[in-house]
Every structure is written in structure tokens, then in C-alpha cells.
């Protein structure tokens, strides 16, 4: 069982901010911003590549509610999901990072020169 399924099953503790029958949101253990929440579906879906539009529809509403719950809805925030090898996805259970609480940096994301792609 993956680590996020263990969190859903209460086998690993987490700091929950919002939950409903389909989704769970909890604080990232290694925050990269003053607010760093992970939102996950309770069904095991490996990544954004596999998620259904039906799940995403409900997840959108859930993440909007998470942003409100943690107080970043008005000030702004970033939603990120890493996919696969080049996306640097570590945990193979779909999760959206919800980052905020301060002005976020938007600098280079890889050591490859993006101008080489043009
Ligand atoms: P990613 O690189 O997109 O797969 O992100 C995985 C995230 O999960 C990282 O930001 C980790 O800090 C976070 N993480 C891993 N284990 C836990 C845990 N037990 N509780 C909370 N966050 C976790």
C-alpha cells in the first residue's frame, strides 16, 4: 500500500485540514511555502495521467474549499501536480500541492536551458 493510502487509512498520522468522503487535504511534512497543503483522492490513482474527468470535477471544488479553509483564497496561491519521472513525482498517488501564504517565486524549474527548446 502506498504512503498516501496509509494516511487515508489512518495507519500514518497526518495534519488534516479538510476531508470529505472522496478527498483528503493535509499539511505537507516538508513545506516549501508558509502554506503547503496536499490534496488527494481517497481512491488510489497514480497520477494526473490516470485521473478521470469525473474525479477532477469534484476535486476542483474540493481544492477551492481547501484554499478557503487555509485562508489563501483571496491572497492567491499555486496549485501544482508533479507527474512521472520528469515531473519529479516522488509519491505515486495523485496529489495536488496547494502553496501560498507568501509571494511565491517563479524561477527556473530545471537546469536545462529552456531557450534550447524554441
Ligand atoms: P511529489 O514530489 O510531488 O511526489 O510530492 C510528494 C510530497 O509528499 C512531498 O512534498 C513530501 O514532502 C510529501 N510527503 C511525503 N510523505 C509525507 C507524509 N507522511 N505526510 C505529509 N507529506 C508527505
Amino acid at each position: 500500500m502506498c504512503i498516501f493510502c496509509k494516511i487515508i487509512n489512518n495507519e500514518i498520522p497526518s495534519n488534516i485540514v479538510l476531508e470529505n468522503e472522496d478527498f483528503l487535504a493535509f499539511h505537507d511534512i516538508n513545506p516549501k511555502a508558509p502554506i503547503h497543503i496536499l490534496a488527494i483522492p481517497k481512491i488510489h490513482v497514480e497520477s494526473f495521467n490516470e485521473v478521470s474527468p469525473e474525479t477532477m470535477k469534484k476535486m476542483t471544488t474540493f481544492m477551492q474549499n481547501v484554499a478557503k479553509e487555509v485562508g489563501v483564497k483571496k491572497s492567491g496561491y499555486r496549485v501544482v501536480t508533479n507527474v512521472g519521472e520528469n515531473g519529479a513525482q516522488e509519491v505515486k498517488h495523485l496529489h495536488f500541492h496547494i502553496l501560498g501564504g507568501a509571494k511565491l517565486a517563479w524561477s527556473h524549474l530545471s537546469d536545462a536551458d529552456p531557450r534550447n527548446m524554441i
Side-chain angles (χ1 to χ4, degrees):
M1 190 187 292
C2 86
I3 189 168
F4 286 176
C5 283
K6 287 182 179 170
I7 286 176
I8 292 160
N9 286 346
N10 281 318
E11 290 172 35
I12 292 178
S14 67
N15 192 351
I16 294 171
V17 297
L18 198 66
E19 182 172 13
N20 66 22
E21 64 173 338
D22 297 316
F23 305 104
L24 183 66
F26 52 96
H27 288 271
D28 194 293
I29 205 167
N30 183 21
K32 292 183 166 46
I35 303 286
H36 187 170
I37 310 299
L38 299 175
I40 66 173
K42 289 187 175 177
I43 52 161
H44 182 85
V45 176
E46 183 164 320
S47 80
F48 189 71
N49 275 340
E50 289 80 20
V51 70
S52 71
E54 293 74 26
T55 298
M56 277 312 304
K57 185 177 179 199
K58 289 191 275 184
M59 200 160 185
T60 298
T61 302
F62 181 73
M63 289 192 285
Q64 289 167 343
N65 290 338
V66 170
K68 190 175 178 186
E69 180 70 25
V70 299
V72 298
K73 188 172 181 178
K74 277 195 173 170
S75 54
Y77 56 99
R78 188 171 298 162
V79 178
V80 176
T81 188
N82 297 326
V83 182
E85 179 75 22
N86 276 0
Q89 181 182 4
E90 285 176 11
V91 178
K92 303 295 188 282
H93 181 128
L94 174 65
H95 52 283
F96 287 86
H97 299 261
I98 297 168
L99 301 140
K103 182 90 173 178
L104 301 175
W106 184 242
S107 57
H108 79 293
L109 297 177
S110 89
D111 292 334
D113 186 346
R115 288 168 299 185
N116 290 340
M117 301 299 291
I118 298 170

